Amino acid sequence: MQAFGNDYVYIDAINQKLPDLPKLARFVSDRHFGIGSDGMVLICPSDKADFRMRMFNPDGTEGEMCGNALRSVGKYVYDHALTDKTELTVETLGGIQHLWLTVEKREPKDGEKQMPYQNRGFVSNIRANIGKPRLDTKVIPVLSDKPEFIEQPVEILDKTFNITAVSWGNPHTAMFVDDLYFDVHKYGREIEYKTDLFPNKTNVTFAQLVSRDYIKMREWERGTGETIGCGTGCATAVVAGVLTGRCDRKVTVEQIGGPLYIEWDEETGDMFMTGPSHNVFEGEIDITHLGE
């Protein structure tokens, strides 16, 4: 599935027990399924929510939460008739997340396979509450004596970046630059591997302010490289912008994969992201030998 920028492989694990998940995640990533893979998502039963989502990075490590992967779980479970609900709760390592699905009647788009149960419609838009951003440097984690890591100057090669660290489970960093057309690979990789500051590595969001309600961003995703979209990266850019007085709490964030509308609710502190869903590409692969 393409999750509005990121490409993920989704596995229905409601009735399956899969051994050695890190090995399976590496296997999935190495083969790319013809469309590329930023990670592997398992959809599992939950006694706390409608479903449980487990996400594995390409290197086999388990991630706590990913905004775009979370959003597209809603499309997957509805379009594949795992649920009839349009309001869902999803259990992640980062906490219980909430989704609201917009369903429309239409003919399947190119690349989509029409199935008998889809006469009830397809998910066309998804609103996700990904919870409250965490800034506590003891939680993120960041190797710093400061309680919050907001616009701290960090020397990266020949440049100084004012970095803000945020977390929804996975560590993210955001920094504002004047122009996004620079060597993201060079600086993104250097920041990701700056383990003297980020011991577990970090996702890196470079953001450019266009106006108080419009931001452009590019994302360097840990363990993957530059990605064409990252929902939580978009939210991180907004958090950094609001905390530093650059932008409003309701912002459109343009990533290479398309725009997401981000809203930071002032009363609850929750972060919402809303945007269209993308196509599902289906296929089969023999993974039985991985359990041997």
Side-chain angles (χ1 to χ4, degrees), residues 197-208:
L197 188 58
F198 309 108
N200 294 340
K201 302 198 296 182
T202 180
N203 289 5
V204 183
T205 301
F206 296 102
Q208 180 182 358

Side-chain angles (χ1 to χ4, degrees), residues 22-97:
K23 185 176 181 180
L24 176 60
R26 293 190 296 270
F27 182 83
V28 164
S29 180
D30 288 345
R31 277 145 186 83
H32 297 294
F33 286 88
I35 60 170
S37 170
D38 283 333
M40 178 184 76
V41 176
L42 300 182
I43 301 170
C44 307
S46 171
D47 57 4
K48 300 178 181 178
D50 294 310
F51 299 97
R52 180 184 178 199
M53 181 184 94
R54 295 185 66 184
M55 191 203 76
F56 288 82
N57 300 311
D59 62 0
T61 58
E62 185 165 5
E64 293 192 29
M65 210 278 287
C66 172
N68 274 347
L70 169 73
R71 289 177 62 253
S72 287
V73 159
K75 177 177 178 61
Y76 188 98
V77 296
Y78 187 89
D79 286 358
H80 288 74
L82 300 184
T83 183
D84 289 323
K85 293 183 177 181
T86 56
E87 295 185 13
L88 297 171
T89 54
V90 181
E91 179 186 358
T92 72
L93 286 180
I96 302 295
Q97 319 298 343

